[in-house]
Protein backbone atom coordinates (compact mmCIF):
# COMPACT_ATOMS: atom_id res chain seq x y z
CA UNK A 1 0.00 0.00 0.00
CA UNK A 2 1.47 3.35 -1.02
CA UNK A 3 1.08 6.38 1.20
CA UNK A 4 -0.59 9.34 -0.48
CA UNK A 5 -1.88 6.86 -3.04
CA UNK A 6 -4.37 9.36 -4.44
CA UNK A 7 -1.54 11.34 -5.99
CA UNK A 8 -1.01 10.25 -9.60
CA UNK A 9 2.73 10.88 -9.92
CA UNK A 10 5.15 11.24 -7.04
CA UNK A 11 7.79 12.62 -9.36
CA UNK A 12 5.96 15.81 -10.17
CA UNK A 13 6.22 19.10 -8.39
CA UNK A 14 2.74 19.12 -6.89
CA UNK A 15 3.14 15.63 -5.44
CA UNK A 16 6.41 16.71 -3.81
CA UNK A 17 4.76 19.74 -2.27
CA UNK A 18 1.82 17.63 -1.09
CA UNK A 19 4.09 15.03 0.54
CA UNK A 20 6.12 17.77 2.23
CA UNK A 21 3.00 19.49 3.56
CA UNK A 22 1.65 16.21 4.94
CA UNK A 23 4.91 15.37 6.73
CA UNK A 24 5.56 18.84 8.13
CA UNK A 25 1.94 19.39 9.17
CA UNK A 26 1.87 16.15 11.16
CA UNK A 27 5.20 16.82 12.88
CA UNK A 28 4.37 20.47 13.60
CA UNK A 29 0.94 19.51 14.94
CA UNK A 30 2.55 17.03 17.36
CA UNK A 31 5.16 19.57 18.47
CA UNK A 32 2.76 22.46 18.96
CA UNK A 33 0.15 20.26 20.65
CA UNK A 34 2.80 19.40 23.22
CA UNK A 35 3.19 23.11 24.00
CA UNK A 36 -0.57 23.65 24.00
CA UNK A 37 -1.69 20.76 26.20
CA UNK A 38 1.05 21.12 28.83
CA UNK A 39 0.44 24.87 28.88
CA UNK A 40 -3.27 24.23 29.42
CA UNK A 41 -2.54 21.72 32.19
CA UNK A 42 -0.20 24.32 33.75
CA UNK A 43 -2.87 27.01 33.74
CA UNK A 44 -1.59 29.00 30.74
CA UNK A 45 -4.22 30.05 28.21
CA UNK A 46 -3.58 29.62 24.48
CA UNK A 47 -5.01 32.35 22.26
CA UNK A 48 -4.07 30.74 18.92
CA UNK A 49 -2.99 27.28 17.74
CA UNK A 50 -1.73 27.61 14.16
CA UNK A 51 -0.47 25.13 11.59
CA UNK A 52 1.40 27.30 9.11
CA UNK A 53 2.11 31.03 8.97
CA UNK A 54 0.68 33.96 7.04
CA UNK A 55 -2.89 34.40 5.77
CA UNK A 56 -5.42 32.22 7.56
CA UNK A 57 -7.17 29.67 5.34
CA UNK A 58 -9.54 28.18 7.91
CA UNK A 59 -10.17 28.60 11.63
CA UNK A 60 -12.52 27.86 14.49
CA UNK A 61 -12.72 28.95 18.11
CA UNK A 62 -13.22 26.31 20.80
CA UNK A 63 -15.12 26.64 24.07
CA UNK A 64 -11.95 27.76 25.90
CA UNK A 65 -11.48 30.67 23.53
CA UNK A 66 -8.52 29.22 21.63
CA UNK A 67 -8.50 29.85 17.88
CA UNK A 68 -7.44 26.74 15.90
CA UNK A 69 -6.31 27.65 12.41
CA UNK A 70 -4.59 26.59 9.19
CA UNK A 71 -2.46 29.25 7.51
CA UNK A 72 -1.19 29.52 3.96
CA UNK A 73 2.58 29.05 4.44
CA UNK A 74 3.19 25.44 5.59
CA UNK A 75 6.69 25.95 6.96
CA UNK A 76 5.93 25.40 10.63
CA UNK A 77 3.40 26.47 13.19
CA UNK A 78 3.02 28.05 16.60
CA UNK A 79 0.95 28.42 19.74
CA UNK A 80 0.37 32.02 20.77
CA UNK A 81 -0.24 32.06 24.50
CA UNK A 82 -1.90 34.86 26.41
CA UNK A 83 0.60 37.69 26.89
CA UNK A 84 2.66 36.79 23.81
CA UNK A 85 3.37 39.49 21.26
CA UNK A 86 3.41 37.02 18.37
CA UNK A 87 4.45 33.59 17.13
CA UNK A 88 7.96 33.88 18.63
CA UNK A 89 6.55 34.15 22.19
CA UNK A 90 7.92 37.60 22.92
CA UNK A 91 6.17 39.51 25.69
CA UNK A 92 3.40 41.95 24.81
CA UNK A 93 4.10 44.68 27.39
CA UNK A 94 0.94 46.63 26.58
CA UNK A 95 -1.31 43.61 27.01
CA UNK A 96 0.44 42.53 30.21
CA UNK A 97 0.33 45.94 31.88
CA UNK A 98 -3.43 46.03 32.37
CA UNK A 99 -3.86 42.57 33.92
CA UNK A 100 -4.60 41.69 37.51
CA UNK A 101 -2.80 38.88 39.34
CA UNK A 102 -5.27 36.15 38.31
CA UNK A 103 -5.19 37.24 34.68
CA UNK A 104 -1.39 37.44 34.67
CA UNK A 105 -1.24 33.86 36.00
CA UNK A 106 -3.03 32.71 32.82
CA UNK A 107 -0.34 34.26 30.58
CA UNK A 108 2.94 32.70 29.53
CA UNK A 109 4.92 35.56 31.04
CA UNK A 110 3.02 35.74 34.32
CA UNK A 111 2.97 32.01 35.07
CA UNK A 112 5.42 30.39 37.53
CA UNK A 113 8.80 29.40 36.18
CA UNK A 114 8.02 25.67 36.40
CA UNK A 115 4.88 26.11 34.27
CA UNK A 116 6.69 28.13 31.60
CA UNK A 117 9.63 25.72 31.43
CA UNK A 118 7.36 22.67 31.24
CA UNK A 119 5.28 24.26 28.50
CA UNK A 120 8.34 25.12 26.41
CA UNK A 121 9.99 21.72 26.90
CA UNK A 122 6.80 19.86 26.00
CA UNK A 123 7.14 20.55 22.27
CA UNK A 124 10.40 18.62 21.73
CA UNK A 125 9.35 16.02 24.31
CA UNK A 126 6.15 15.31 22.37
CA UNK A 127 8.22 14.91 19.19
CA UNK A 128 10.32 12.26 20.91
CA UNK A 129 7.22 10.58 22.35
CA UNK A 130 5.59 10.54 18.90
CA UNK A 131 8.71 8.97 17.36
CA UNK A 132 8.81 6.35 20.12
CA UNK A 133 5.14 5.48 19.49
CA UNK A 134 5.79 5.25 15.72
CA UNK A 135 8.77 2.92 16.14
CA UNK A 136 6.96 0.78 18.72
CA UNK A 137 3.82 0.59 16.58
CA UNK A 138 5.78 -0.53 13.52
CA UNK A 139 7.54 -3.19 15.57
CA UNK A 140 4.21 -4.55 16.75
CA UNK A 141 2.77 -4.37 13.24
CA UNK A 142 5.68 -5.99 11.38
CA UNK A 143 7.09 -8.16 14.18
CA UNK A 144 10.75 -9.09 14.56
CA UNK A 145 12.59 -11.98 12.94
CA UNK A 146 12.72 -15.28 14.81
CA UNK A 147 16.23 -16.68 15.05
CA UNK A 148 15.41 -19.78 13.02
CA UNK A 149 16.18 -20.23 9.29
CA UNK A 150 12.72 -21.17 8.05
CA UNK A 151 11.86 -20.26 4.47
CA UNK A 152 8.98 -17.83 4.02
CA UNK A 153 7.85 -16.30 0.73
CA UNK A 154 10.76 -16.60 -1.72
CA UNK A 155 11.97 -13.50 -3.54
CA UNK A 156 11.87 -13.65 -7.33
CA UNK A 157 15.42 -13.90 -8.69
CA UNK A 158 16.88 -14.33 -12.18
CA UNK A 159 18.70 -17.65 -11.50
CA UNK A 160 17.43 -21.09 -12.44
CA UNK A 161 14.37 -22.46 -10.57
CA UNK A 162 15.22 -23.33 -6.99
CA UNK A 163 14.25 -26.40 -5.00
CA UNK A 164 13.60 -24.43 -1.81
CA UNK A 165 9.97 -24.31 -0.72
CA UNK A 166 8.11 -22.18 1.76
CA UNK A 167 8.23 -23.81 5.20
CA UNK A 168 11.60 -25.53 4.69
CA UNK A 169 13.85 -25.52 7.75
CA UNK A 170 17.40 -24.86 6.49
CA UNK A 171 19.95 -27.19 8.09
CA UNK A 172 22.94 -26.20 5.97
CA UNK A 173 23.90 -24.14 2.93
CA UNK A 174 27.00 -24.83 0.84
CA UNK A 175 28.09 -27.33 3.48
CA UNK A 176 27.91 -24.79 6.34
CA UNK A 177 25.62 -25.74 9.22
CA UNK A 178 22.87 -23.22 10.00
CA UNK A 179 21.31 -23.88 13.38
CA UNK A 180 20.03 -20.30 13.63
CA UNK A 181 19.02 -17.51 11.28
CA UNK A 182 22.19 -15.67 12.35
CA UNK A 183 24.25 -18.67 11.20
CA UNK A 184 22.47 -18.59 7.84
CA UNK A 185 23.17 -14.87 7.35
CA UNK A 186 26.80 -15.19 8.45
CA UNK A 187 27.32 -18.09 6.04
CA UNK A 188 27.33 -15.65 3.13
CA UNK A 189 30.81 -14.45 4.17
CA UNK A 190 32.36 -17.89 3.59
CA UNK A 191 30.31 -19.22 0.70
CA UNK A 192 31.53 -19.22 -2.91
CA UNK A 193 30.27 -16.37 -5.09
CA UNK A 194 27.70 -18.49 -6.90
CA UNK A 195 24.11 -17.62 -7.75
CA UNK A 196 22.94 -21.18 -6.93
CA UNK A 197 24.08 -23.27 -3.94
CA UNK A 198 23.26 -26.65 -2.41
CA UNK A 199 20.99 -26.68 0.63
CA UNK A 200 20.05 -29.31 3.17
CA UNK A 201 16.52 -28.74 4.46
CA UNK A 202 14.04 -30.38 6.76
CA UNK A 203 10.68 -30.74 5.00
CA UNK A 204 7.75 -32.65 6.47
CA UNK A 205 10.11 -34.47 8.83
CA UNK A 206 12.54 -35.54 6.09
CA UNK A 207 16.00 -34.23 5.21
CA UNK A 208 16.32 -33.26 1.56
CA UNK A 209 19.10 -31.96 -0.69
CA UNK A 210 17.85 -29.04 -2.81
CA UNK A 211 19.21 -25.98 -4.59
CA UNK A 212 18.68 -22.37 -3.55
CA UNK A 213 20.04 -18.85 -4.03
CA UNK A 214 23.11 -17.40 -2.37
CA UNK A 215 22.04 -16.03 1.06
CA UNK A 216 23.17 -12.56 -0.01
CA UNK A 217 22.54 -12.05 -3.74
CA UNK A 218 23.05 -8.60 -5.34
CA UNK A 219 19.42 -7.82 -4.54
CA UNK A 220 18.18 -4.32 -3.71
CA UNK A 221 16.27 -4.43 -0.45
CA UNK A 222 15.95 -0.66 -0.10
CA UNK A 223 17.00 2.37 -2.13
CA UNK A 224 18.46 5.26 -0.13
CA UNK A 225 17.22 8.82 -0.51
CA UNK A 226 19.40 11.29 -2.43
CA UNK A 227 21.49 8.45 -3.86
CA UNK A 228 22.79 7.43 -7.28
CA UNK A 229 20.45 4.43 -7.27
CA UNK A 230 17.44 6.60 -6.41
CA UNK A 231 18.31 9.04 -9.19
CA UNK A 232 18.53 6.13 -11.63
CA UNK A 233 15.05 5.03 -10.50
CA UNK A 234 16.20 1.71 -9.15
CA UNK A 235 13.57 -0.12 -7.12
CA UNK A 236 13.50 -2.59 -4.22
CA UNK A 237 13.60 -6.05 -5.77
CA UNK A 238 16.03 -5.09 -8.55
CA UNK A 239 18.92 -7.54 -9.01
CA UNK A 240 22.29 -6.36 -10.32
CA UNK A 241 23.60 -9.17 -12.50
CA UNK A 242 26.69 -7.47 -13.96
CA UNK A 243 28.91 -4.42 -13.44
CA UNK A 244 30.90 -3.05 -16.38
CA UNK A 245 30.19 -6.28 -18.25
CA UNK A 246 31.43 -8.61 -15.48
CA UNK A 247 28.86 -10.94 -13.92
CA UNK A 248 28.34 -10.82 -10.16
CA UNK A 249 26.46 -13.23 -7.91
CA UNK A 250 26.61 -11.71 -4.42
CA UNK A 251 25.97 -8.40 -2.72
CA UNK A 252 29.53 -8.41 -1.38
CA UNK A 253 30.84 -8.37 -4.96
CA UNK A 254 28.63 -5.37 -5.67
CA UNK A 255 29.90 -3.61 -2.55
CA UNK A 256 33.53 -4.29 -3.43
CA UNK A 257 33.21 -3.05 -7.01
CA UNK A 258 31.46 0.13 -5.90
CA UNK A 259 34.13 0.80 -3.28
CA UNK A 260 36.91 0.17 -5.80
CA UNK A 261 35.36 2.58 -8.30
CA UNK A 262 36.43 5.61 -6.20
CA UNK A 263 33.57 7.57 -7.73
CA UNK A 264 33.99 6.50 -11.36
CA UNK A 265 30.82 5.75 -13.34
CA UNK A 266 29.60 2.13 -13.31
CA UNK A 267 27.56 0.44 -16.01
CA UNK A 268 25.05 -1.87 -14.31
CA UNK A 269 22.97 -4.64 -15.82
CA UNK A 270 19.81 -4.85 -13.75
CA UNK A 271 17.19 -7.60 -13.75
CA UNK A 272 13.68 -6.44 -12.88
CA UNK A 273 10.72 -8.86 -12.97
CA UNK A 274 12.06 -10.74 -15.96
CA UNK A 275 13.30 -7.67 -17.85
CA UNK A 276 16.91 -6.56 -18.25
CA UNK A 277 17.84 -2.90 -17.87
CA UNK A 278 21.08 -1.05 -18.52
CA UNK A 279 21.81 1.73 -16.01
CA UNK A 280 24.81 3.96 -15.43
CA UNK A 281 25.42 5.11 -11.86
CA UNK A 282 28.13 7.30 -10.36
CA UNK A 283 28.95 6.26 -6.76
CA UNK A 284 28.88 9.12 -4.29
CA UNK A 285 31.12 9.86 -1.35
CA UNK A 286 28.88 9.26 1.66
CA UNK A 287 29.39 9.76 5.40
CA UNK A 288 28.10 6.71 7.28
CA UNK A 289 27.53 6.43 11.06
CA UNK A 290 29.43 3.58 12.71
CA UNK A 291 27.81 1.26 15.30
CA UNK A 292 30.45 2.21 17.87
CA UNK A 293 30.03 5.92 17.15
CA UNK A 294 31.63 8.29 14.71
CA UNK A 295 31.50 8.25 10.92
CA UNK A 296 33.35 6.78 7.98
CA UNK A 297 33.32 8.01 4.38
CA UNK A 298 32.75 5.48 1.59
CA UNK A 299 31.66 5.48 -2.05
CA UNK A 300 28.11 4.16 -2.30
CA UNK A 301 25.29 3.91 -4.81
CA UNK A 302 22.57 3.82 -2.15
CA UNK A 303 21.42 0.19 -2.05
CA UNK A 304 20.98 -2.06 0.96
CA UNK A 305 20.82 -5.82 0.54
CA UNK A 306 17.50 -7.61 0.30
CA UNK A 307 16.45 -10.96 1.77
CA UNK A 308 16.26 -14.06 -0.43
CA UNK A 309 13.07 -15.02 1.37
CA UNK A 310 10.84 -13.66 4.10
CA UNK A 311 12.00 -14.68 7.55
CA UNK A 312 9.59 -15.90 10.15
CA UNK A 313 8.50 -13.19 12.56
CA UNK A 314 7.07 -12.98 16.03
CA UNK A 315 5.28 -10.22 17.87
CA UNK A 316 7.53 -8.87 20.62
CA UNK A 317 6.23 -8.29 24.13
CA UNK A 318 5.53 -4.78 25.34
CA UNK A 319 8.77 -4.48 27.32
CA UNK A 320 10.84 -5.78 24.41
CA UNK A 321 9.01 -3.46 22.03
CA UNK A 322 9.63 -0.49 24.31
CA UNK A 323 13.32 -1.40 24.65
CA UNK A 324 13.87 -1.72 20.89
CA UNK A 325 11.92 1.47 20.12
CA UNK A 326 13.87 3.39 22.76
CA UNK A 327 17.13 2.05 21.29
CA UNK A 328 16.12 3.26 17.82
CA UNK A 329 15.22 6.66 19.24
CA UNK A 330 18.53 6.91 21.04
CA UNK A 331 20.53 5.80 17.98
CA UNK A 332 18.93 8.44 15.75
CA UNK A 333 19.46 11.16 18.37
CA UNK A 334 23.06 10.13 19.02
CA UNK A 335 23.82 10.00 15.30
CA UNK A 336 22.34 13.48 14.86
CA UNK A 337 24.52 14.89 17.64
CA UNK A 338 27.64 13.20 16.30
CA UNK A 339 26.84 14.27 12.74
CA UNK A 340 26.52 17.89 13.78
CA UNK A 341 29.78 17.72 15.72
CA UNK A 342 31.70 16.12 12.85
CA UNK A 343 30.33 18.69 10.40
CA UNK A 344 31.47 21.53 12.68
CA UNK A 345 35.00 20.11 13.02
CA UNK A 346 35.15 19.38 9.29
CA UNK A 347 35.42 15.59 9.45
CA UNK A 348 32.30 15.00 7.35
CA UNK A 349 30.69 17.02 4.58
CA UNK A 350 28.26 19.82 5.40
CA UNK A 351 26.14 18.44 2.55
CA UNK A 352 24.58 16.23 5.25
CA UNK A 353 22.64 19.32 6.41
CA UNK A 354 19.30 19.64 4.57
CA UNK A 355 16.66 22.35 4.23
CA UNK A 356 12.90 21.93 3.71
CA UNK A 357 13.71 21.13 0.07
CA UNK A 358 15.65 18.07 1.19
CA UNK A 359 12.81 17.10 3.52
CA UNK A 360 10.33 17.50 0.66
CA UNK A 361 12.38 15.26 -1.62
CA UNK A 362 12.77 12.67 1.12
CA UNK A 363 9.06 12.83 1.92
CA UNK A 364 7.98 12.02 -1.60
CA UNK A 365 10.63 9.29 -1.91
CA UNK A 366 9.48 7.58 1.28
CA UNK A 367 5.83 7.97 0.33
CA UNK A 368 6.51 6.19 -2.95
CA UNK A 369 8.28 3.37 -1.04
CA UNK A 370 5.05 2.50 0.79
CA UNK A 371 3.02 3.38 3.85
CA UNK A 372 5.29 1.62 6.36
CA UNK A 373 8.38 3.45 5.07
CA UNK A 374 6.48 6.73 5.09
CA UNK A 375 5.35 6.29 8.70
CA UNK A 376 8.87 5.32 9.76
CA UNK A 377 10.14 8.49 8.06
CA UNK A 378 7.64 10.53 10.10
CA UNK A 379 9.23 9.11 13.23
CA UNK A 380 12.74 10.01 12.07
CA UNK A 381 11.73 13.55 11.13
CA UNK A 382 9.96 13.95 14.47
CA UNK A 383 13.22 13.09 16.26
CA UNK A 384 15.09 15.58 14.07
CA UNK A 385 12.59 18.38 14.78
CA UNK A 386 12.64 17.65 18.50
CA UNK A 387 16.43 17.62 18.54
CA UNK A 388 16.71 20.81 16.48
CA UNK A 389 14.33 22.69 18.76
CA UNK A 390 16.49 21.92 21.81
CA UNK A 391 19.37 23.99 20.44
CA UNK A 392 20.00 26.89 22.89
CA UNK A 393 19.26 29.47 20.22
CA UNK A 394 16.39 31.96 20.53
CA UNK A 395 13.67 31.75 19.24
CA UNK A 396 13.93 27.94 19.35
CA UNK A 397 12.58 26.14 22.39
CA UNK A 398 16.11 25.54 23.62
CA UNK A 399 16.68 29.30 23.61
CA UNK A 400 13.61 29.88 25.80
CA UNK A 401 14.75 27.10 28.13
CA UNK A 402 18.11 28.86 28.34
CA UNK A 403 16.33 32.02 29.54
CA UNK A 404 14.37 29.96 32.09
CA UNK A 405 17.59 28.33 33.32
CA UNK A 406 19.12 31.78 33.80
CA UNK A 407 16.06 32.87 35.74
CA UNK A 408 16.24 29.78 37.96
CA UNK A 409 19.92 30.45 38.79
CA UNK A 410 19.80 34.25 39.03
CA UNK A 411 16.34 34.24 40.69
CA UNK A 412 15.23 36.96 38.30
CA UNK A 413 14.29 36.93 34.61
CA UNK A 414 16.63 38.19 31.95
CA UNK A 415 16.00 41.82 31.06
CA UNK A 416 13.54 42.49 28.25
CA UNK A 417 16.23 44.30 26.29
CA UNK A 418 18.66 41.37 26.56
CA UNK A 419 15.91 38.99 25.46
CA UNK A 420 15.09 41.16 22.45
CA UNK A 421 18.74 41.42 21.39
CA UNK A 422 19.33 37.68 21.77
CA UNK A 423 16.10 36.89 19.92
CA UNK A 424 17.22 39.08 17.02
CA UNK A 425 20.65 37.46 16.92
CA UNK A 426 19.07 34.02 17.19
CA UNK A 427 16.68 34.73 14.32
CA UNK A 428 19.62 35.87 12.19
CA UNK A 429 21.54 32.67 13.01
CA UNK A 430 18.54 30.44 12.27
CA UNK A 431 17.98 32.22 8.95
CA UNK A 432 21.67 31.86 8.07
CA UNK A 433 21.57 28.12 8.80
CA UNK A 434 18.39 27.81 6.74
CA UNK A 435 19.99 29.54 3.75
CA UNK A 436 23.13 27.41 4.11
CA UNK A 437 21.06 24.21 4.17
CA UNK A 438 19.07 25.46 1.18
CA UNK A 439 22.33 26.05 -0.69
CA UNK A 440 23.37 22.47 0.16
CA UNK A 441 20.14 21.04 -1.28
CA UNK A 442 20.60 22.99 -4.48
CA UNK A 443 24.28 22.27 -5.02
CA UNK A 444 25.32 19.01 -3.25
Amino acid sequence: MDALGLLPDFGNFFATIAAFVVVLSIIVAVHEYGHYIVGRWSGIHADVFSIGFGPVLAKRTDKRGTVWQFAAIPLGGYVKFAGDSGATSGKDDDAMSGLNAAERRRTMHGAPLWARAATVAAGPVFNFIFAFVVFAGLLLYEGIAVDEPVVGEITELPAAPFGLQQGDRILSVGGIQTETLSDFLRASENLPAQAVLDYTVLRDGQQLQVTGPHPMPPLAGAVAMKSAARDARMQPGDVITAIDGSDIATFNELREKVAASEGAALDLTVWRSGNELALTLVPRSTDLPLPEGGFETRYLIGLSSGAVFDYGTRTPGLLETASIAASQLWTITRTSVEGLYYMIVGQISTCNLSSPIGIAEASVAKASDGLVEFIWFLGVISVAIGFLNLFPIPPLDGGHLMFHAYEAVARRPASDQAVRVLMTLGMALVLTLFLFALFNDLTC
Side-chain angles (χ1 to χ4, degrees):
M1 178 180 181
D2 285 343
L4 306 180
L6 296 178
L7 295 173
D9 179 10
F10 278 103
N12 65 52
F13 173 78
F14 295 106
T16 300
I17 294 298
F20 171 70
V21 170
V22 169
V23 168
L24 199 60
S25 295
I26 291 173
I27 301 306
V28 167
V30 168
H31 181 92
E32 297 304 332
Y33 187 77
H35 290 314
Y36 164 78
I37 194 62
V38 172
R40 198 181 88 187
W41 291 341
S42 303
I44 302 173
H45 175 71
D47 291 334
V48 179
F49 185 109
S50 181
I51 302 299
F53 299 98
V56 177
L57 303 177
K59 66 179 180 179
R60 62 174 289 271
T61 303
D62 67 15
K63 62 182 181 181
R64 294 183 176 83
T66 300
V67 176
W68 298 74
Q69 66 184 36
F70 285 95
I73 305 174
L75 293 178
Y78 62 92
V79 178
K80 180 181 178 297
F81 289 103
D84 287 348
S85 59
T88 58
S89 298
K91 184 165 67 172
D92 187 339
D93 292 320
D94 292 336
M96 293 290 294
S97 63
L99 302 180
N100 59 37
E103 291 170 335
R104 287 182 63 85
R105 174 58 181 84
R106 296 181 71 243
T107 69
M108 172 61 84
H109 306 278
L113 177 60
W114 67 265
R116 287 178 277 137
T119 299
V120 170
V125 168
F126 266 55
N127 281 129
F128 291 125
I129 292 173
F130 175 77
F132 175 85
V133 171
V134 165
F135 298 150
L138 290 178
L139 284 168
L140 292 172
Y141 173 73
E142 294 193 299
I144 59 177
V146 296
D147 197 20
E148 188 176 50
V150 176
V151 178
E153 183 177 352
I154 300 175
T155 303
E156 186 181 10
L157 295 171
F162 301 125
L164 282 178
Q165 293 183 11
Q166 191 166 342
D168 286 349
R169 168 68 162 83
I170 299 174
L171 303 178
S172 70
V173 54
I176 301 177
Q177 300 298 310
T178 55
E179 295 183 4
T180 66
L181 178 60
S182 299
D183 292 338
F184 175 73
L185 297 176
R186 281 194 298 268
S188 62
E189 302 298 330
N190 300 308
L191 290 169
Q194 299 173 191
V196 181
L197 295 168
D198 293 327
Y199 282 70
T200 302
V201 302
L202 186 65
R203 182 186 300 166
D204 298 327
Q206 294 184 335
Q207 285 193 24
L208 301 174
Q209 302 296 318
V210 299
T211 59
H214 193 283
M216 192 177 288
L219 167 68
V223 184
M225 297 174 290
K226 299 180 70 173
S227 66
R230 176 77 68 172
D231 291 346
R233 298 187 179 276
M234 291 194 69
Q235 301 174 7
D238 285 352
V239 181
I240 295 89
T241 58
I243 299 179
D244 291 336
S246 299
D247 292 342
I248 63 171
T250 69
F251 199 87
N252 281 339
E253 290 178 283
L254 170 64
R255 185 182 293 120
E256 290 168 0
K257 286 184 177 294
V258 170
S261 72
E262 296 187 348
L266 298 173
D267 294 323
L268 273 56
T269 303
V270 176
W271 182 91
R272 178 183 298 168
S273 302
N275 298 314
E276 194 171 271
L277 308 174
L279 302 175
T280 298
L281 283 72
V282 179
R284 297 176 183 173
S285 177
T286 307
D287 300 309
L288 296 175
L290 298 171
E292 65 274 14
F295 287 77
E296 68 172 345
T297 301
R298 300 208 318 250
Y299 283 101
L300 302 174
I301 59 174
L303 295 181
S304 59
S305 60
V308 294
F309 54 78
D310 289 340
Y311 307 129
T313 60
R314 63 179 177 83
T315 302
L318 292 180
L319 288 178
E320 185 179 12
T321 298
S323 175
I324 297 173
S327 177
Q328 291 178 335
L329 183 63
W330 167 248
T331 298
I332 294 170
T333 305
R334 187 203 70 197
T335 303
S336 298
V337 173
E338 291 178 345
L340 179 63
Y341 169 76
Y342 285 115
M343 276 191 283
I344 291 173
V345 298
Q347 293 187 18
I348 65 174
S349 171
T350 55
C351 286
N352 290 284
L353 187 65
S354 291
S355 75
I357 288 181
I359 296 175
E361 292 175 343
S363 299
V364 75
K366 284 301 180 182
S368 64
D369 285 343
L371 184 59
V372 169
E373 287 292 320
F374 186 72
I375 293 174
W376 178 85
F377 178 69
L378 284 175
V380 173
I381 291 297
S382 190
V383 175
I385 295 297
F387 170 68
L388 175 66
N389 270 278
L390 287 177
F391 284 14
I393 303 172
L396 301 178
D397 294 329
H400 290 288
L401 290 173
M402 179 179 65
F403 292 140
H404 296 328
Y406 172 84
E407 183 176 346
V409 172
R411 299 194 178 279
R412 58 182 174 81
S415 69
D416 292 343
Q417 182 178 359
V419 170
R420 282 193 291 270
V421 169
L422 290 173
M423 290 286 278
T424 300
L425 293 175
M427 283 291 291
L429 178 58
V430 170
L431 181 59
T432 300
L433 290 174
F434 172 83
L435 293 174
F436 180 71
L438 181 63
F439 177 80
N440 280 347
D441 284 330
L442 295 174
T443 60
C444 289

